DNA sequence: TTTAATTTGAGAATCATTCGCAAAAATAAG
DNA sequence: CTTATTTTTGCGAATGATTCTCAAATTAAA
């Protein structure tokens, strides 16, 4: 069993919930991609093999995977919620193109360090960074 | 005429648009508050004095004010888009408390500088920063 | 004042997300 | 292997913020 599956199963167990077939299918779809994703894209991926997993179940599974610490709600783009992996991925910031919707990721320990220090002066305990900017990507600037 | 009104008028003129009465009312409502706001709250404020400004017009005016550099889309909270002032306010980042929902604002020119530099190496043109973190505020940590 | 262009309000339309519910699946117990 | 209990599912309907349509109103210029 893959590690993320074990994590998810254990998390569900602590909540008295079950790792069902649809939940496993959704988890696999989520970890079959290594980029940002949204429910619609996930639905398309899943439907190629499993005609009977509904959108509702995907929507219902997202918060569970977030609570399990596997993914996080990354940003909102073109009126859709987007998610990204936490498990197995480094923290990073996002540049979102307003025009084509492309998302560029960049790492910066420096930024997180500064933010963390600022938070400390405020007595604020950071659980999750949310750093980025919107604008125009190189392609769309022409 | 207030400065923000002049800015807005000038911006509109460059686009061949007009500073109409509803747009002026909306602008005033926006700058009557000094905190984050959403369209719904704005609608309530405006409706106290002007019964005939529609939600549609408010929604239509937001992107104009953003493009004019007066406000920016700050964050999404409770399924609603929230906005904040740029004009007359220093750029800042947000700490959002997961427990009580409180938003703490902090300034950091440094962070934006770093992000801007990162964007440049990518050919990305930033229109709007989006920097913050989620976690627990001082009060909720006890 | 006439004219041409932009805006408006009202309500309908859109679209992502959530809900309600009866049927299906999972787990535990016998 | 049944039965009983709980959780889950898929479906379609509901929700709610935002956007669109369009005829009437407003604007600014000639």
């Amino acid at each position: 069993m893959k590690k993320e599956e074990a994590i998810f199963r254990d998390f569900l167990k602590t909540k008295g919930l079950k790792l069902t077939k649809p939940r496993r299918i959704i988890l696999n779809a989520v970890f079959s991609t290594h980029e940002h994703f949204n429910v619609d894209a996930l639905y398309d991926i899943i439907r190629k093999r499993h005609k009977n997993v509904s959108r509702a179940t995907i929507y219902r599974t997202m918060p569970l995977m977030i609570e399990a610490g596997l993914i996080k709600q990354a940003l909102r783009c073109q009126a859709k919620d987007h998610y990204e992996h936490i498990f197995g991925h480094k923290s990073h910031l996002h540049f979102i193109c307003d025009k084509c919707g492309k998302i560029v990721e960049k790492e910066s320990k420096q930024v997180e360090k500064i933010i963390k220090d600022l938070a400390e002066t405020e007595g604020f305990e950071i659980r999750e960074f949310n750093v980025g900017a919107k604008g125009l990507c190189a392609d769309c600037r022409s």
Side-chain angles (χ1 to χ4, degrees), chain A:
Chain A
M1 187 191 297
K2 283 186 219 127
K3 191 132 184 234
E4 60 264 24
E5 206 169 296
I7 292 173
F8 198 32
R9 174 175 41 65
D10 291 349
F11 162 78
L12 290 171
K13 185 167 271 176
T14 68
K15 307 270 287 186
L17 305 177
K18 301 156 189 171
L19 180 54
T20 60
K21 198 147 65 166
R23 283 180 183 150
R24 199 176 338 218
I25 290 168
I26 294 165
L27 183 72
N28 283 336
V30 163
F31 280 88
S32 76
T33 160
H34 286 276
E35 305 183 351
H36 289 240
F37 58 92
N38 58 48
V39 168
D40 242 46
L42 223 50
Y43 183 75
D44 287 345
I45 293 171
I46 290 169
R47 277 289 169 136
K48 283 185 188 152
R49 305 185 133 280
H50 308 278
K51 295 295 179 204
N52 51 346
V53 173
S54 75
R55 270 201 174 74
T57 301
I58 301 178
Y59 276 110
R60 282 187 285 235
T61 303
M62 289 300 146
L64 295 175
M65 289 178 46
I66 290 175
E67 214 186 330
L70 290 168
I71 64 173
K72 74 173 203 180
Q73 198 150 355
L75 45 87
R76 204 171 159 84
C77 187
Q78 293 168 326
K80 291 187 180 90
D81 286 332
H82 285 239
Y83 303 86
E84 69 183 24
H85 307 254
I86 291 177
F87 177 72
H89 290 250
K90 282 192 191 150
S91 171
H92 54 262
L93 55 86
H94 302 124
F95 293 129
I96 306 168
C97 180
D98 285 323
K99 197 166 177 192
C100 70
K102 184 164 60 193
I103 299 169
V104 180
E105 303 184 350
K106 296 292 268 184
E107 266 179 59
S108 173
K109 296 162 241 166
Q110 213 184 343
V111 166
E112 296 198 351
K113 173 80 170 70
I114 296 170
I115 295 175
K116 198 186 242 170
D117 289 348
L118 268 175
E120 240 156 50
T121 71
E122 199 64 38
F124 190 94
E125 179 188 322
I126 292 178
R127 179 177 312 169
E128 169 188 313
F129 288 96
N130 226 280
V131 180
K134 291 184 179 179
L136 291 177
C137 74
D139 292 342
C140 290
R141 283 175 73 175
S142 349

